[in-house]
Amino acid sequence: MKHICKDDVVNIPEGVTVEVKARQVRVTGPRGTLSRDLRHIQMDIQRPSKSQLRVIVWKGGRKHIACIRTVCSHIDNLIKGVT
């Protein structure tokens, strides 16, 4: 069964900037810059506020929905790496 819309939120701490362009994520913090290319996964990455990043999957199956948490974990690890 496909889900219409599923999403998850990643919180961004102060002192860290996150840039998203075409599913390429670049995180800059006090210890440097890290980037990750996520173009192979079909999903939307939005920035509803300066302190949050939202990962959304539209009309996804079970395995595609599981990728949401994987992408959020990758972004969390990028943030930990620069702080």
Side-chain angles (χ1 to χ4, degrees):
M1 181 172 129
K2 290 196 175 198
H3 295 275
I4 301 297
C5 177
K6 288 287 187 176
D7 66 335
D8 200 359
V9 175
V10 176
N11 293 319
I12 302 169
E14 288 187 25
V16 176
T17 59
V18 177
E19 301 170 9
V20 179
K21 184 176 180 183
R23 293 190 305 255
Q24 292 180 344
V25 180
R26 178 179 296 243
V27 179
T28 305
R31 290 190 179 179
T33 302
L34 294 173
S35 62
R36 183 87 182 196
D37 186 6
L38 301 169
R39 288 184 290 178
H40 62 282
I41 302 172
Q42 294 292 334
M43 62 180 52
D44 293 337
I45 302 175
Q46 297 176 349
R47 186 97 184 254
S49 67
K50 288 206 175 244
S51 64
Q52 287 186 340
L53 199 66
R54 189 178 205 183
V55 180
I56 304 170
V57 169
W58 296 92
K59 298 180 183 174
R62 186 174 70 92
K63 298 231 178 195
H64 197 190
I65 297 296
C67 290
I68 295 174
R69 190 67 201 145
T70 302
V71 169
C72 289
S73 296
H74 283 305
I75 295 171
D76 278 336
N77 290 336
L78 290 173
I79 291 171
K80 284 180 187 175
V82 297
T83 54

